[in-house]
Amino acid sequence: MGVTIGVDLGGTKIAAGVVDESGTVLSQARRPTPSARAEDVVQAITDLVQELRQVHDVESVCVAVPGFVDSTRRMLRFTPNLPMRDEPLASKIEANLGIRVLIENDANAAAWGEVRFGAAQGLSNVVMLTVGTGLGGGIVVDGAIVRGAYGFAAEVGHMTLVPEGEACGCGQFGCWEQYASGNALLRIARTSAQKHRADAGLLLGLGDGSPEGIQGPHVTHAAQAGCPVAISAFNKLGRNIGRGMASMSALIDPEMYVIGGGVCEAGDLLLDPVRQSFEKHLTARSHRPLPQIVAATLGNDAGLVGAADLAREV
């Protein structure tokens, strides 16, 4: 098969790329994600693909989406941050393009990209966590994506970590992503900066001087510069991620956890407390092999590359 297009549909931007069989991105395009109507999202994806098709002879397309995809890989059933419910997304885009279109959960696509071409290449049992605005998960077992009976498997961000805890966009309370995501990091940092202003000068100075003015990249930059409040926020976030991963290992027992998403730009500031917390909470940790916990190597292209490879599936 020749080249395919992978599309990564995010809450703020849509990225599309032409990818060959070796996982090499030949060209890319992107644009902001429309937030008002599903039809606008469909049109934006269509326009991006058409732009790339002007230069490349594309055989098929797969769109990675942040939500619940049914087992046919045609219908987007639910996404908490975009205006789409029970949306026949693949069919609508396919009608516009005249070529085959599939959809896939974005974390599944990212996990597949890392297994095929990235940090987990050559491994068969892998869990990927995408720590971005929310928390996504993709699971590969025996070399195949785990989608479940109805297509909704691996929505790990919506496992309950804290009963009756923080409200989640999915409608439930205490979901893991409320304690292990970019939004969680920001909430932790703002709360700590409010309580410990004397130690948060560097972090506050990156914004407008108020806790409310702190933004996600500020926390990373401040932590890298040695701000104790920002470092503490990453430590708490890492502990929350590691605790949930230990529970996942009781069920999945993977060879490797790959951690991706924008928050992972902090590197070992995040990964070190994740590893420590994981080992602390892992059942029988002294009597079993420990999985590797590594950063994703494909970066922001993981979902796009994985989706393009999945577009080759019959």
Side-chain angles (χ1 to χ4, degrees):
M1 181 175 280
V3 298
T4 55
I5 288 179
V7 180
D8 190 0
L9 172 61
T12 59
K13 70 177 184 302
I14 307 171
V18 179
V19 183
D20 67 16
E21 289 179 296
S22 69
T24 301
V25 180
L26 304 177
S27 61
Q28 288 195 57
R30 63 183 58 205
R31 61 188 59 199
T33 303
S35 59
R37 301 184 308 155
E39 290 76 10
D40 297 331
V41 175
V42 170
Q43 190 60 53
I45 294 171
T46 300
D47 292 345
L48 274 174
V49 173
Q50 294 286 41
E51 178 183 335
L52 293 169
R53 288 176 74 193
Q54 292 178 12
V55 181
H56 299 274
D57 184 15
V58 175
E59 299 191 7
S60 56
V61 176
C62 181
V63 183
V65 298
F68 288 33
V69 176
D70 76 356
S71 58
T72 68
R73 298 176 61 205
R74 308 281 297 170
M75 180 81 71
L76 177 56
R77 289 296 184 185
F78 173 80
T79 180
N81 300 312
L82 291 171
M84 289 184 281
R85 302 288 187 274
D86 295 321
E87 185 70 29
L89 188 61
S91 297
K92 287 186 175 182
I93 299 170
E94 197 170 78
N96 290 344
L97 296 174
I99 59 174
R100 181 171 174 266
V101 177
L102 294 171
I103 60 174
E104 182 62 77
N105 172 269
D106 57 353
N108 283 352
W112 189 249
E114 292 290 341
V115 167
R116 290 279 288 128
F117 308 110
Q121 193 168 0
L123 301 182
S124 298
N125 294 278
V126 175
V127 172
M128 177 153 188
L129 299 177
T130 55
V131 189
T133 303
L135 178 68
I139 299 172
V140 175
V141 171
D142 294 336
I145 293 175
V146 176
R147 296 189 176 98
Y150 307 108
F152 303 156
E155 286 290 341
V156 299
H158 300 290
M159 299 188 304
T160 300
L161 186 71
V162 179
E164 308 304 323
E166 297 283 346
C168 183
C170 74
Q172 299 299 323
F173 294 86
C175 292
W176 190 15
E177 80 168 24
Q178 294 305 308
Y179 304 88
S181 62
N183 281 344
L185 177 68
L186 192 55
R187 187 179 68 247
I188 293 165
R190 286 174 174 173
T191 300
S192 184
Q194 180 70 49
K195 293 180 179 178
H196 307 287
R197 282 180 174 267
D199 293 324
L202 178 57
L203 177 58
L204 291 166
L206 293 172
D208 61 8
S210 71
E212 294 76 18
I214 297 171
Q215 302 301 318
H218 298 159
V219 187
T220 300
H221 294 153
Q224 291 170 336
C227 173
V229 168
I231 292 172
S232 175
F234 271 106
N235 286 338
K236 185 170 184 178
L237 182 75
R239 290 194 298 271
N240 291 340
I241 294 172
R243 183 180 296 115
M245 285 167 50
S247 293
M248 288 194 68
S249 276
L251 183 65
I252 304 297
D253 191 27
E255 303 163 85
M256 178 181 284
Y257 285 94
V258 180
I259 314 296
V263 178
C264 287
E265 292 177 6
D268 286 339
L269 282 167
L270 176 66
L271 291 180
D272 282 347
V274 168
R275 294 179 182 120
Q276 292 164 13
S277 177
F278 174 79
E279 291 190 27
K280 176 181 178 181
H281 293 96
L282 182 65
T283 302
R285 64 186 180 276
S286 299
H287 305 281
R288 61 190 295 174
L290 293 178
Q292 299 177 68
I293 299 174
V294 303
T297 59
L298 297 181
N300 291 330
D301 287 341
L304 182 156
V305 170
D309 197 61
L310 290 166
R312 306 177 198 282
E313 290 189 355
V314 176

mmCIF file with all atom_site columns, all heavy atoms in Angstrom, residues 5-26:
data_model
loop_
_atom_site.group_PDB
_atom_site.id
_atom_site.type_symbol
_atom_site.label_atom_id
_atom_site.label_alt_id
_atom_site.label_comp_id
_atom_site.label_asym_id
_atom_site.label_entity_id
_atom_site.label_seq_id
_atom_site.pdbx_PDB_ins_code
_atom_site.Cartn_x
_atom_site.Cartn_y
_atom_site.Cartn_z
_atom_site.occupancy
_atom_site.B_iso_or_equiv
_atom_site.pdbx_formal_charge
_atom_site.auth_seq_id
_atom_site.auth_comp_id
_atom_site.auth_asym_id
_atom_site.auth_atom_id
_atom_site.pdbx_PDB_model_num
ATOM 1   N N   . ILE A 1 5  ? -3.131  9.058  5.061  1.00 0.00 ? 5  ILE A N   1
ATOM 2   C CA  . ILE A 1 5  ? -3.189  10.276 5.875  1.00 0.00 ? 5  ILE A CA  1
ATOM 3   C C   . ILE A 1 5  ? -3.713  9.934  7.261  1.00 0.00 ? 5  ILE A C   1
ATOM 4   O O   . ILE A 1 5  ? -4.735  9.254  7.395  1.00 0.00 ? 5  ILE A O   1
ATOM 5   C CB  . ILE A 1 5  ? -4.068  11.359 5.222  1.00 0.00 ? 5  ILE A CB  1
ATOM 6   C CG1 . ILE A 1 5  ? -3.362  11.947 3.994  1.00 0.00 ? 5  ILE A CG1 1
ATOM 7   C CG2 . ILE A 1 5  ? -4.410  12.473 6.207  1.00 0.00 ? 5  ILE A CG2 1
ATOM 8   C CD1 . ILE A 1 5  ? -4.161  13.018 3.268  1.00 0.00 ? 5  ILE A CD1 1
ATOM 9   N N   . GLY A 1 6  ? -3.001  10.403 8.263  1.00 0.00 ? 6  GLY A N   1
ATOM 10  C CA  . GLY A 1 6  ? -3.478  10.346 9.634  1.00 0.00 ? 6  GLY A CA  1
ATOM 11  C C   . GLY A 1 6  ? -3.887  11.733 10.068 1.00 0.00 ? 6  GLY A C   1
ATOM 12  O O   . GLY A 1 6  ? -3.186  12.720 9.789  1.00 0.00 ? 6  GLY A O   1
ATOM 13  N N   . VAL A 1 7  ? -5.020  11.818 10.732 1.00 0.00 ? 7  VAL A N   1
ATOM 14  C CA  . VAL A 1 7  ? -5.531  13.097 11.242 1.00 0.00 ? 7  VAL A CA  1
ATOM 15  C C   . VAL A 1 7  ? -5.655  12.990 12.752 1.00 0.00 ? 7  VAL A C   1
ATOM 16  O O   . VAL A 1 7  ? -6.215  12.015 13.264 1.00 0.00 ? 7  VAL A O   1
ATOM 17  C CB  . VAL A 1 7  ? -6.902  13.447 10.627 1.00 0.00 ? 7  VAL A CB  1
ATOM 18  C CG1 . VAL A 1 7  ? -7.404  14.786 11.171 1.00 0.00 ? 7  VAL A CG1 1
ATOM 19  C CG2 . VAL A 1 7  ? -6.824  13.483 9.102  1.00 0.00 ? 7  VAL A CG2 1
ATOM 20  N N   . ASP A 1 8  ? -5.124  13.965 13.458 1.00 0.00 ? 8  ASP A N   1
ATOM 21  C CA  . ASP A 1 8  ? -5.206  13.999 14.918 1.00 0.00 ? 8  ASP A CA  1
ATOM 22  C C   . ASP A 1 8  ? -6.127  15.150 15.305 1.00 0.00 ? 8  ASP A C   1
ATOM 23  O O   . ASP A 1 8  ? -5.748  16.318 15.221 1.00 0.00 ? 8  ASP A O   1
ATOM 24  C CB  . ASP A 1 8  ? -3.807  14.190 15.512 1.00 0.00 ? 8  ASP A CB  1
ATOM 25  C CG  . ASP A 1 8  ? -3.787  13.982 17.019 1.00 0.00 ? 8  ASP A CG  1
ATOM 26  O OD1 . ASP A 1 8  ? -4.845  13.686 17.597 1.00 0.00 ? 8  ASP A OD1 1
ATOM 27  O OD2 . ASP A 1 8  ? -2.709  14.127 17.618 1.00 0.00 ? 8  ASP A OD2 1
ATOM 28  N N   . LEU A 1 9  ? -7.341  14.792 15.713 1.00 0.00 ? 9  LEU A N   1
ATOM 29  C CA  . LEU A 1 9  ? -8.350  15.783 16.079 1.00 0.00 ? 9  LEU A CA  1
ATOM 30  C C   . LEU A 1 9  ? -8.223  16.104 17.563 1.00 0.00 ? 9  LEU A C   1
ATOM 31  O O   . LEU A 1 9  ? -8.500  15.253 18.413 1.00 0.00 ? 9  LEU A O   1
ATOM 32  C CB  . LEU A 1 9  ? -9.750  15.248 15.760 1.00 0.00 ? 9  LEU A CB  1
ATOM 33  C CG  . LEU A 1 9  ? -10.946 16.071 16.241 1.00 0.00 ? 9  LEU A CG  1
ATOM 34  C CD1 . LEU A 1 9  ? -10.939 17.460 15.623 1.00 0.00 ? 9  LEU A CD1 1
ATOM 35  C CD2 . LEU A 1 9  ? -12.248 15.342 15.919 1.00 0.00 ? 9  LEU A CD2 1
ATOM 36  N N   . GLY A 1 10 ? -7.809  17.313 17.882 1.00 0.00 ? 10 GLY A N   1
ATOM 37  C CA  . GLY A 1 10 ? -7.673  17.730 19.268 1.00 0.00 ? 10 GLY A CA  1
ATOM 38  C C   . GLY A 1 10 ? -8.687  18.789 19.635 1.00 0.00 ? 10 GLY A C   1
ATOM 39  O O   . GLY A 1 10 ? -9.438  19.285 18.788 1.00 0.00 ? 10 GLY A O   1
ATOM 40  N N   . GLY A 1 11 ? -8.693  19.158 20.901 1.00 0.00 ? 11 GLY A N   1
ATOM 41  C CA  . GLY A 1 11 ? -9.652  20.146 21.370 1.00 0.00 ? 11 GLY A CA  1
ATOM 42  C C   . GLY A 1 11 ? -9.384  21.544 20.846 1.00 0.00 ? 11 GLY A C   1
ATOM 43  O O   . GLY A 1 11 ? -10.312 22.350 20.709 1.00 0.00 ? 11 GLY A O   1
ATOM 44  N N   . THR A 1 12 ? -8.133  21.852 20.515 1.00 0.00 ? 12 THR A N   1
ATOM 45  C CA  . THR A 1 12 ? -7.787  23.198 20.039 1.00 0.00 ? 12 THR A CA  1
ATOM 46  C C   . THR A 1 12 ? -7.255  23.217 18.618 1.00 0.00 ? 12 THR A C   1
ATOM 47  O O   . THR A 1 12 ? -7.333  24.242 17.946 1.00 0.00 ? 12 THR A O   1
ATOM 48  C CB  . THR A 1 12 ? -6.734  23.840 20.962 1.00 0.00 ? 12 THR A CB  1
ATOM 49  O OG1 . THR A 1 12 ? -5.554  23.018 20.990 1.00 0.00 ? 12 THR A OG1 1
ATOM 50  C CG2 . THR A 1 12 ? -7.280  23.994 22.370 1.00 0.00 ? 12 THR A CG2 1
ATOM 51  N N   . LYS A 1 13 ? -6.704  22.091 18.136 1.00 0.00 ? 13 LYS A N   1
ATOM 52  C CA  . LYS A 1 13 ? -6.181  22.086 16.767 1.00 0.00 ? 13 LYS A CA  1
ATOM 53  C C   . LYS A 1 13 ? -6.377  20.714 16.130 1.00 0.00 ? 13 LYS A C   1
ATOM 54  O O   . LYS A 1 13 ? -6.508  19.691 16.811 1.00 0.00 ? 13 LYS A O   1
ATOM 55  C CB  . LYS A 1 13 ? -4.694  22.448 16.751 1.00 0.00 ? 13 LYS A CB  1
ATOM 56  C CG  . LYS A 1 13 ? -3.769  21.406 17.335 1.00 0.00 ? 13 LYS A CG  1
ATOM 57  C CD  . LYS A 1 13 ? -2.312  21.820 17.219 1.00 0.00 ? 13 LYS A CD  1
ATOM 58  C CE  . LYS A 1 13 ? -1.356  20.753 17.712 1.00 0.00 ? 13 LYS A CE  1
ATOM 59  N NZ  . LYS A 1 13 ? -1.560  20.352 19.095 1.00 0.00 ? 13 LYS A NZ  1
ATOM 60  N N   . ILE A 1 14 ? -6.389  20.726 14.793 1.00 0.00 ? 14 ILE A N   1
ATOM 61  C CA  . ILE A 1 14 ? -6.439  19.503 14.006 1.00 0.00 ? 14 ILE A CA  1
ATOM 62  C C   . ILE A 1 14 ? -5.147  19.438 13.211 1.00 0.00 ? 14 ILE A C   1
ATOM 63  O O   . ILE A 1 14 ? -4.799  20.378 12.497 1.00 0.00 ? 14 ILE A O   1
ATOM 64  C CB  . ILE A 1 14 ? -7.632  19.498 13.032 1.00 0.00 ? 14 ILE A CB  1
ATOM 65  C CG1 . ILE A 1 14 ? -8.944  19.795 13.765 1.00 0.00 ? 14 ILE A CG1 1
ATOM 66  C CG2 . ILE A 1 14 ? -7.736  18.154 12.315 1.00 0.00 ? 14 ILE A CG2 1
ATOM 67  C CD1 . ILE A 1 14 ? -10.124 20.017 12.825 1.00 0.00 ? 14 ILE A CD1 1
ATOM 68  N N   . ALA A 1 15 ? -4.424  18.323 13.350 1.00 0.00 ? 15 ALA A N   1
ATOM 69  C CA  . ALA A 1 15 ? -3.191  18.111 12.593 1.00 0.00 ? 15 ALA A CA  1
ATOM 70  C C   . ALA A 1 15 ? -3.387  16.927 11.664 1.00 0.00 ? 15 ALA A C   1
ATOM 71  O O   . ALA A 1 15 ? -3.975  15.918 12.052 1.00 0.00 ? 15 ALA A O   1
ATOM 72  C CB  . ALA A 1 15 ? -2.013  17.860 13.534 1.00 0.00 ? 15 ALA A CB  1
ATOM 73  N N   . ALA A 1 16 ? -2.910  17.054 10.441 1.00 0.00 ? 16 ALA A N   1
ATOM 74  C CA  . ALA A 1 16 ? -3.004  15.968 9.472  1.00 0.00 ? 16 ALA A CA  1
ATOM 75  C C   . ALA A 1 16 ? -1.651  15.792 8.811  1.00 0.00 ? 16 ALA A C   1
ATOM 76  O O   . ALA A 1 16 ? -0.912  16.754 8.607  1.00 0.00 ? 16 ALA A O   1
ATOM 77  C CB  . ALA A 1 16 ? -4.074  16.262 8.420  1.00 0.00 ? 16 ALA A CB  1
ATOM 78  N N   . GLY A 1 17 ? -1.319  14.542 8.479  1.00 0.00 ? 17 GLY A N   1
ATOM 79  C CA  . GLY A 1 17 ? -0.042  14.284 7.843  1.00 0.00 ? 17 GLY A CA  1
ATOM 80  C C   . GLY A 1 17 ? -0.109  13.123 6.879  1.00 0.00 ? 17 GLY A C   1
ATOM 81  O O   . GLY A 1 17 ? -0.851  12.162 7.103  1.00 0.00 ? 17 GLY A O   1
ATOM 82  N N   . VAL A 1 18 ? 0.666   13.220 5.824  1.00 0.00 ? 18 VAL A N   1
ATOM 83  C CA  . VAL A 1 18 ? 0.836   12.126 4.879  1.00 0.00 ? 18 VAL A CA  1
ATOM 84  C C   . VAL A 1 18 ? 1.991   11.270 5.385  1.00 0.00 ? 18 VAL A C   1
ATOM 85  O O   . VAL A 1 18 ? 3.081   11.783 5.645  1.00 0.00 ? 18 VAL A O   1
ATOM 86  C CB  . VAL A 1 18 ? 1.147   12.643 3.463  1.00 0.00 ? 18 VAL A CB  1
ATOM 87  C CG1 . VAL A 1 18 ? 1.337   11.481 2.496  1.00 0.00 ? 18 VAL A CG1 1
ATOM 88  C CG2 . VAL A 1 18 ? 0.032   13.557 2.979  1.00 0.00 ? 18 VAL A CG2 1
ATOM 89  N N   . VAL A 1 19 ? 1.754   9.959  5.545  1.00 0.00 ? 19 VAL A N   1
ATOM 90  C CA  . VAL A 1 19 ? 2.725   9.066  6.175  1.00 0.00 ? 19 VAL A CA  1
ATOM 91  C C   . VAL A 1 19 ? 2.951   7.856  5.281  1.00 0.00 ? 19 VAL A C   1
ATOM 92  O O   . VAL A 1 19 ? 1.989   7.269  4.768  1.00 0.00 ? 19 VAL A O   1
ATOM 93  C CB  . VAL A 1 19 ? 2.225   8.601  7.565  1.00 0.00 ? 19 VAL A CB  1
ATOM 94  C CG1 . VAL A 1 19 ? 3.259   7.728  8.255  1.00 0.00 ? 19 VAL A CG1 1
ATOM 95  C CG2 . VAL A 1 19 ? 1.890   9.818  8.433  1.00 0.00 ? 19 VAL A CG2 1
ATOM 96  N N   . ASP A 1 20 ? 4.225   7.471  5.123  1.00 0.00 ? 20 ASP A N   1
ATOM 97  C CA  . ASP A 1 20 ? 4.509   6.280  4.317  1.00 0.00 ? 20 ASP A CA  1
ATOM 98  C C   . ASP A 1 20 ? 4.554   5.035  5.196  1.00 0.00 ? 20 ASP A C   1
ATOM 99  O O   . ASP A 1 20 ? 4.339   5.104  6.414  1.00 0.00 ? 20 ASP A O   1
ATOM 100 C CB  . ASP A 1 20 ? 5.792   6.455  3.499  1.00 0.00 ? 20 ASP A CB  1
ATOM 101 C CG  . ASP A 1 20 ? 7.059   6.523  4.356  1.00 0.00 ? 20 ASP A CG  1
ATOM 102 O OD1 . ASP A 1 20 ? 7.017   6.143  5.544  1.00 0.00 ? 20 ASP A OD1 1
ATOM 103 O OD2 . ASP A 1 20 ? 8.103   6.947  3.817  1.00 0.00 ? 20 ASP A OD2 1
ATOM 104 N N   . GLU A 1 21 ? 4.855   3.894  4.601  1.00 0.00 ? 21 GLU A N   1
ATOM 105 C CA  . GLU A 1 21 ? 4.768   2.613  5.319  1.00 0.00 ? 21 GLU A CA  1
ATOM 106 C C   . GLU A 1 21 ? 5.829   2.455  6.396  1.00 0.00 ? 21 GLU A C   1
ATOM 107 O O   . GLU A 1 21 ? 5.703   1.601  7.270  1.00 0.00 ? 21 GLU A O   1
ATOM 108 C CB  . GLU A 1 21 ? 4.877   1.464  4.313  1.00 0.00 ? 21 GLU A CB  1
ATOM 109 C CG  . GLU A 1 21 ? 3.645   1.333  3.437  1.00 0.00 ? 21 GLU A CG  1
ATOM 110 C CD  . GLU A 1 21 ? 3.770   0.204  2.438  1.00 0.00 ? 21 GLU A CD  1
ATOM 111 O OE1 . GLU A 1 21 ? 4.645   0.282  1.561  1.00 0.00 ? 21 GLU A OE1 1
ATOM 112 O OE2 . GLU A 1 21 ? 2.988   -0.753 2.538  1.00 0.00 ? 21 GLU A OE2 1
ATOM 113 N N   . SER A 1 22 ? 6.885   3.282  6.359  1.00 0.00 ? 22 SER A N   1
ATOM 114 C CA  . SER A 1 22 ? 7.925   3.218  7.384  1.00 0.00 ? 22 SER A CA  1
ATOM 115 C C   . SER A 1 22 ? 7.642   4.151  8.554  1.00 0.00 ? 22 SER A C   1
ATOM 116 O O   . SER A 1 22 ? 8.441   4.247  9.482  1.00 0.00 ? 22 SER A O   1
ATOM 117 C CB  . SER A 1 22 ? 9.288   3.560  6.777  1.00 0.00 ? 22 SER A CB  1
ATOM 118 O OG  . SER A 1 22 ? 9.340   4.932  6.403  1.00 0.00 ? 22 SER A OG  1
ATOM 119 N N   . GLY A 1 23 ? 6.496   4.852  8.523  1.00 0.00 ? 23 GLY A N   1
ATOM 120 C CA  . GLY A 1 23 ? 6.147   5.785  9.591  1.00 0.00 ? 23 GLY A CA  1
ATOM 121 C C   . GLY A 1 23 ? 6.719   7.170  9.404  1.00 0.00 ? 23 GLY A C   1
ATOM 122 O O   . GLY A 1 23 ? 6.617   8.005  10.305 1.00 0.00 ? 23 GLY A O   1
ATOM 123 N N   . THR A 1 24 ? 7.283   7.455  8.254  1.00 0.00 ? 24 THR A N   1
ATOM 124 C CA  . THR A 1 24 ? 7.848   8.774  7.979  1.00 0.00 ? 24 THR A CA  1
ATOM 125 C C   . THR A 1 24 ? 6.746   9.736  7.550  1.00 0.00 ? 24 THR A C   1
ATOM 126 O O   . THR A 1 24 ? 5.952   9.425  6.657  1.00 0.00 ? 24 THR A O   1
ATOM 127 C CB  . THR A 1 24 ? 8.908   8.690  6.869  1.00 0.00 ? 24 THR A CB  1
ATOM 128 O OG1 . THR A 1 24 ? 9.946   7.803  7.284  1.00 0.00 ? 24 THR A OG1 1
ATOM 129 C CG2 . THR A 1 24 ? 9.506   10.061 6.579  1.00 0.00 ? 24 THR A CG2 1
ATOM 130 N N   . VAL A 1 25 ? 6.708   10.895 8.194  1.00 0.00 ? 25 VAL A N   1
ATOM 131 C CA  . VAL A 1 25 ? 5.732   11.928 7.834  1.00 0.00 ? 25 VAL A CA  1
ATOM 132 C C   . VAL A 1 25 ? 6.293   12.722 6.660  1.00 0.00 ? 25 VAL A C   1
ATOM 133 O O   . VAL A 1 25 ? 7.328   13.385 6.771  1.00 0.00 ? 25 VAL A O   1
ATOM 134 C CB  . VAL A 1 25 ? 5.440   12.851 9.025  1.00 0.00 ? 25 VAL A CB  1
ATOM 135 C CG1 . VAL A 1 25 ? 4.411   13.915 8.631  1.00 0.00 ? 25 VAL A CG1 1
ATOM 136 C CG2 . VAL A 1 25 ? 4.938   12.053 10.218 1.00 0.00 ? 25 VAL A CG2 1
ATOM 137 N N   . LEU A 1 26 ? 5.608   12.662 5.538  1.00 0.00 ? 26 LEU A N   1
ATOM 138 C CA  . LEU A 1 26 ? 6.087   13.297 4.309  1.00 0.00 ? 26 LEU A CA  1
ATOM 139 C C   . LEU A 1 26 ? 5.680   14.754 4.219  1.00 0.00 ? 26 LEU A C   1
ATOM 140 O O   . LEU A 1 26 ? 6.415   15.580 3.667  1.00 0.00 ? 26 LEU A O   1
ATOM 141 C CB  . LEU A 1 26 ? 5.573   12.531 3.089  1.00 0.00 ? 26 LEU A CB  1
ATOM 142 C CG  . LEU A 1 26 ? 5.926   11.031 3.050  1.00 0.00 ? 26 LEU A CG  1
ATOM 143 C CD1 . LEU A 1 26 ? 5.307   10.381 1.827  1.00 0.00 ? 26 LEU A CD1 1
ATOM 144 C CD2 . LEU A 1 26 ? 7.432   10.833 3.070  1.00 0.00 ? 26 LEU A CD2 1
#
